[in-house]
Amino acid sequence: MSATLHRALSVVAIGLAQVLLLLPTAQAQPEISPRAELRRGDFAAVERWLSAFQASYESGRITDVQLRDAYRQLYDLDAPLVEQLKSWTKKRPDSYAAHLLLGVHYKHLGDVARGGDFVGNTPDAAIAEMERQHQLAMGEFEQSTHFTPKPYVSWFLMLGIAQDEGTAAEKLYILNQAVRLDAVAELVRVRYMTTLTPRWGGSLQQMEAFIARNRREGVPDRVVHELQAIEEDDKGKNREDAGDDHGANQHFEKALALAADSAPFFLQDALQSSQRVLCRNASTPSPNCPR
C-alpha cells in the first residue's frame, strides 16, 4: 500500500499548483436535505449545496471542521445511495464532491474489512481487502484534488489511510500539502499528531518536535493546546496500561484542561480515553460525557 500512496501523492502534487490559481466566490448555503436529494437523483442540488460550503471554506468564511461536517452528512450511505453516488460521479466526472464522497465510501469499506482487532490477529484476506478498498479510495481522493482550489478534506482523508499504511515520509508530505492550503489546518494537525504517538509508531520526542514546529508556524494557541492534550492523553493511556490509575488520571485531567477551549469534535475524536476515564470516575459527569 505504501507504493500506492507514493504514486497517488506524486500525481496529486503535479496538478495542485495549477488548481490553486482559481478561487470561487463564497455563497450562502441553501437549506436542503442532501441525502434526500441524492436519493432522488438530484445531483445538481447536492452539488450546489456542497459547493457552497466548499466556496465558503476557500474564502475563509468557515473552518475546516465546519467543512468536514458538511461532507459528513453524506457519509455512511446505504446501498441505493451508493449507487446514486456512483451515477453522480459518472455524470459529473469533474465533481470534487462526488469523487471525495466515493473515496469516503471505499475507505469505509476498507476500514470495515480491517476490523478493530490488532493487525497480528487480523486474517490476511481481511488485510488484502482493506488494502484493495483503500487503493480505490486513494484513487478517488487523488482525482478530487484536481477539481477545486483547496482540496483540504481530500488530504485529511488521505492522512487517515496513511496513518495505517503509509510511511513517515508520506504522512509528513500530506501534512505539508494540507498546511499549504490552510495555515491553521486544525483537523490535519490533530490527526498527524496522533500518528506520532508511541502506540502508532512515533515517540514523545517526535510529538514534542511537532508541537515546537506548530509554535514556530504561529498556529493558534488553542490548536497547540490540543496537540499537547493528545500527548497527555497518550501518557495517561500508558500509565493506565501499567496499572497506575492515579498517574493516568493526572495525565487525563491535564489533557482535558488543555482542551478546555476546544470544540466537542476534538474531545470525541482525540481524547476518548481521557473523557471515558474521568466520566467514569466523576460523581457528577460533565454534559460531554457519553450517555
Side-chain angles (χ1 to χ4, degrees), residues 200-235:
W200 280 100
S203 67
L204 291 175
Q205 292 78 11
Q206 288 175 315
M207 287 192 284
E208 287 291 342
F210 185 54
I211 290 170
R213 167 183 165 165
N214 281 265
R215 286 201 179 101
R216 290 194 305 271
E217 292 178 352
V219 173
D221 288 345
R222 173 180 53 79
V223 178
V224 173
H225 292 162
E226 289 174 351
L227 305 182
Q228 293 172 315
I230 292 171
E231 182 178 12
E232 290 295 337
D233 185 77
D234 187 73
K235 289 177 179 178

Side-chain angles (χ1 to χ4, degrees), residues 30-41:
E31 295 294 332
I32 71 165
S33 169
R35 295 178 78 91
E37 298 299 337
L38 181 60
R39 196 174 298 279
R40 280 195 290 268

Side-chain angles (χ1 to χ4, degrees), residues 173-184:
Y173 178 80
I174 292 173
L175 167 72
N176 289 337
Q177 292 304 313
V179 169
R180 281 183 61 197
L181 300 175
D182 184 334
V184 177

Side-chain angles (χ1 to χ4, degrees), residues 181-203:
L181 300 175
D182 184 334
V184 177
E186 180 178 6
L187 286 172
V188 169
R189 290 180 191 271
V190 165
R191 177 164 284 180
Y192 185 78
M193 182 67 170
T194 301
T195 74
L196 299 180
T197 59
R199 63 190 62 237
W200 280 100
S203 67

Side-chain angles (χ1 to χ4, degrees), residues 97-274:
H99 283 291
L100 180 79
L101 291 169
L102 189 54
V104 168
H105 170 67
Y106 290 134
K107 180 180 182 299
H108 173 69
L109 292 181
D111 294 343
V112 170
R114 161 73 171 80
D117 208 344
F118 293 108
V119 172
N121 299 332
T122 304
D124 290 344
I127 296 294
E129 177 62 11
M130 175 197 71
E131 291 179 345
R132 186 181 76 84
Q133 296 291 351
H134 282 179
Q135 184 173 350
L136 292 173
M138 287 296 292
E140 295 297 330
F141 295 147
E142 183 277 319
Q143 287 190 66
S144 75
T145 63
H146 300 287
F147 302 133
T148 195
K150 289 190 175 184
Y152 173 87
V153 177
S154 303
W155 291 108
F156 170 67
L157 292 166
M158 281 191 252
L159 185 57
I161 292 176
Q163 182 171 354
D164 281 322
E165 302 162 52
T167 65
E170 287 164 345
K171 287 177 276 195
L172 180 60
Y173 178 80
I174 292 173
L175 167 72
N176 289 337
Q177 292 304 313
V179 169
R180 281 183 61 197
L181 300 175
D182 184 334
V184 177
E186 180 178 6
L187 286 172
V188 169
R189 290 180 191 271
V190 165
R191 177 164 284 180
Y192 185 78
M193 182 67 170
T194 301
T195 74
L196 299 180
T197 59
R199 63 190 62 237
W200 280 100
S203 67
L204 291 175
Q205 292 78 11
Q206 288 175 315
M207 287 192 284
E208 287 291 342
F210 185 54
I211 290 170
R213 167 183 165 165
N214 281 265
R215 286 201 179 101
R216 290 194 305 271
E217 292 178 352
V219 173
D221 288 345
R222 173 180 53 79
V223 178
V224 173
H225 292 162
E226 289 174 351
L227 305 182
Q228 293 172 315
I230 292 171
E231 182 178 12
E232 290 295 337
D233 185 77
D234 187 73
K235 289 177 179 178
K237 282 185 278 193
N238 289 335
R239 296 314 310 154
E240 187 179 39
D241 291 344
D244 179 8
D245 290 341
H246 177 71
N249 283 349
Q250 288 182 317
H251 287 295
F252 291 146
E253 287 171 359
K254 287 181 182 178
L256 291 176
L258 285 162
D261 296 329
S262 297
F265 93 88
F266 177 72
L267 298 176
Q268 296 160 6
D269 291 0
L271 297 187
Q272 293 180 351
S273 293
S274 295

